[in-house]
Amino acid sequence: MARLTILSWNIGGQCDVRAMTYVINAYLRRHDTYRSWFEFDDDDRVVRHTIPNPNDVKFVATKHGHKSSRDWCEDILATPGPLEWDCFRFGIIQRADHFTFYMSVDHLHVDAMFIGLLFVEIHMMYAALIMGSGPIPLPLAGSYDAYCLRQHQYTSMLTIDSPQVSEWIEFAQRNDGTLPRFPLPIGDPSLPCEGDLMTFQLMDEVQSDRFEKACTAAGARFIGGVFAGIAMAEHQLTGNTTYHTITPTSTRAPEEMMTTGWFTGTVPITVPVNPYSFAETVRAAQASFDSGQRLGHVPFDRVLELALHEGHVRRPDVGVPMISYLDATVSPFSPEIVAQWNLVGGKIYSEMGAANQVGMWVNRFGDGTTVTVAFPNNPIARESVTRYLSAMRSAFVGVADGRRDAASSSAPLIESLGSGMA
């Protein structure tokens, strides 16, 4: 859906291009995911190419002169795809008293953890160099290559009778043989449609803290509360007594916490909803998330390979709902890192391709909890998503305010929804 992840932040003064070039090359050579690319051979098989020697990677600075905002946008969105090696770009925009640094990278190479890692390895390393203190010593980066080989070995051993595959099949069969579908209309999927984004605040800081206390009192965590709150909101809209979704989860081993790559799997979530008891619903949501963690190492694509021809599952429809939760107040997003990120005007952008999912990113920051939703950019989907978000906020705020029946409280009108980049 969104191919590129684009990060930017501001740095004071005139950019020391020599120092920045050193930092960028050190970063690229440190992480082995940036030394591979793919092509299809004549038999339509995927061929992976690698650069064995990290020192063979050398980025050089190119001066482009004055550019308009549209020029910059077109240049960033032209970042090559994964069938080309350099599907990542770095740039600076020099201004009168500061410059903006950005990186645009294909999602092939990065997951959410990359945000904190890049900020440390680029921003802080550059700051150390221009202060004359030399490069910052960093822990070992780990190997994404080794992870991929380990994952391939694991998934190759799976069969249709493996317990993890059976659990995915059971989840699919509860959803008409495939992954869940967003419960409200999102328009005609046969019509070409780009995506759009909405971002707004679910809860402020005080409400977020109260919401977490309600989760803890019920024996659950904030992430369980996210699924429970959405489950209760969906019950309010549809009357569904069971909520289904998928959520991304990290598949990193402890030694890979400093490794850049795509360490992400998906976990199926099933929540029986009691609209009169958030505590009961959140306990069920937390249990589903916790018990499903091992399924995050089994891609649904692998389940399709094993079970599609047996008639047990079918390929997903357009409109699969995905719920992601990120807490930027905990490691690796320490309060110090978050404060520094905000201080330098850090931003995360996403280009929108065809909207084949309804993706939701619930993010908790120091000043509250927000949700960003990606959806097909048509009037039907926009109306449905707006209704859904209103019900979500009603449910979350209802829990934070201590109302037992949060899902039945009246939903406040959404006065404004920011559309655009997250």
Side-chain angles (χ1 to χ4, degrees):
M1 183 176 59
R3 184 178 73 83
L4 296 176
T5 296
I6 304 157
L7 278 71
S8 74
W9 62 85
N10 297 319
I11 302 175
Q14 184 81 18
C15 179
D16 185 326
V17 176
R18 183 168 174 264
M20 185 61 79
T21 300
Y22 171 86
V23 169
I24 288 170
N25 280 304
Y27 170 74
L28 291 175
R29 292 166 183 168
R30 175 173 157 81
H31 297 287
D32 56 11
T33 186
Y34 296 121
R35 300 198 300 273
S36 63
W37 73 100
F38 304 87
E39 68 175 352
F40 291 94
D41 65 14
D42 294 337
D43 296 320
D44 206 32
R45 294 174 301 189
V46 176
V47 179
R48 178 172 180 264
H49 299 270
T50 60
I51 301 172
N53 184 355
N55 291 327
D56 288 340
V57 176
K58 185 177 181 181
F59 267 38
V60 295
T62 302
K63 191 171 183 178
H64 294 280
H66 293 282
K67 281 195 167 190
S68 68
S69 296
R70 181 180 293 276
D71 291 336
W72 279 115
C73 184
E74 291 176 353
D75 183 66
I76 292 169
L77 294 180
T79 301
L83 298 184
E84 298 179 55
W85 168 69
D86 57 337
C87 56
F88 37 88
R89 287 182 174 176
F90 303 85
I92 64 164
I93 304 172
Q94 185 64 57
R95 309 178 193 278
D97 58 351
H98 71 280
F99 63 94
T100 299
F101 171 87
Y102 73 84
M103 180 183 184
S104 172
V105 56
D106 192 285
H107 237 323
L108 171 79
H109 290 296
V110 297
D111 57 18
M113 290 280 286
F114 143 86
I115 298 168
L117 297 177
L118 181 77
F119 188 61
V120 170
E121 295 191 33
I122 298 289
H123 183 76
M124 296 187 175
M125 187 72 78
Y126 173 81
L129 288 182
I130 63 173
M131 292 295 291
S133 58
I136 300 173
L138 295 170
L140 294 175
S143 172
Y144 185 58
D145 281 358
Y147 164 77
C148 291
L149 291 170
R150 188 173 75 242
Q151 186 193 41
H152 179 70
Q153 181 180 26
Y154 171 74
T155 56
S156 296
M157 294 173 62
L158 296 171
T159 70
I160 196 169
D161 297 318
S162 299
Q164 304 93 315
V165 176
S166 297
E167 288 183 48
W168 266 115
I169 292 174
E170 291 171 6
F171 177 77
Q173 289 176 341
R174 291 195 294 269
N175 289 278
D176 195 27
T178 189
L179 296 181
R181 196 173 191 279
F182 188 69
L184 301 180
I186 56 172
D188 186 348
S190 67
L191 299 177
C193 185
E194 293 184 347
D196 199 2
L197 293 173
M198 287 185 185
T199 299
F200 79 110
Q201 191 169 51
L202 276 178
M203 298 179 287
D204 61 25
E205 181 179 0
V206 173
Q207 290 168 331
S208 297
D209 291 341
R210 289 175 178 169
F211 184 86
E212 183 172 35
K213 289 178 181 177
C215 297
T216 304
R221 304 189 300 278
F222 200 102
I223 190 169
V226 169
F227 301 123
I230 299 175
M232 298 180 85
E234 191 164 305
H235 176 272
Q236 176 187 348
L237 291 169
T238 66
N240 292 339
T241 56
T242 304
Y243 168 70
H244 299 288
T245 192
I246 58 173
T247 188
T249 188
S250 175
T251 55
R252 279 179 168 81
E255 64 272 15
E256 292 160 343
M257 297 306 290
M258 292 296 292
T259 310
T260 292
W262 179 260
F263 294 85
T264 302
T266 52
V267 172
I269 301 293
T270 299
V271 184
V273 181
N274 182 341
Y276 304 104
S277 174
F278 174 75
E280 182 179 326
T281 304
V282 75
R283 281 194 293 269
Q286 190 68 62
S288 179
F289 175 76
D290 291 342
S291 65
Q293 286 300 299
R294 66 187 188 126
L295 302 187
H297 295 273
V298 183
F300 189 69
D301 294 271
R302 179 60 177 146
V303 177
L304 287 171
E305 289 176 354
L306 293 168
L308 183 64
H309 297 298
E310 302 288 335
H312 297 300
V313 295
R314 61 183 179 83
R315 298 192 183 281
D317 300 321
V318 172
V320 174
M322 185 277 299
I323 309 298
S324 173
Y325 171 65
L326 175 68
D327 189 343
T329 66
V330 298
S331 178
F333 306 98
S334 66
E336 294 78 14
I337 295 273
V338 173
Q340 181 70 10
W341 174 261
N342 292 331
L343 184 65
V344 297
K347 295 288 188 298
I348 305 167
Y349 299 95
S350 177
E351 58 85 30
M352 296 301 299
N356 296 318
Q357 269 187 315
V358 178
M360 299 189 189
W361 293 266
V362 177
N363 300 313
R364 188 180 183 189
F365 302 101
D367 58 352
T369 304
T370 67
V371 58
T372 295
V373 184
F375 59 95
N377 188 14
N378 66 66
I380 296 174
R382 184 175 297 277
E383 180 182 2
S384 293
V385 167
T386 301
R387 288 179 57 210
Y388 200 91
L389 294 181
S390 181
M392 273 181 62
R393 183 160 60 183
S394 174
F396 279 70
V397 171
V399 171
D401 289 347
R403 297 194 300 271
R404 178 181 173 187
D405 185 5
S408 67
S409 60
S410 60
L413 293 175
I414 298 178
E415 295 179 359
S416 64
L417 289 170
S419 176
M421 300 297 188

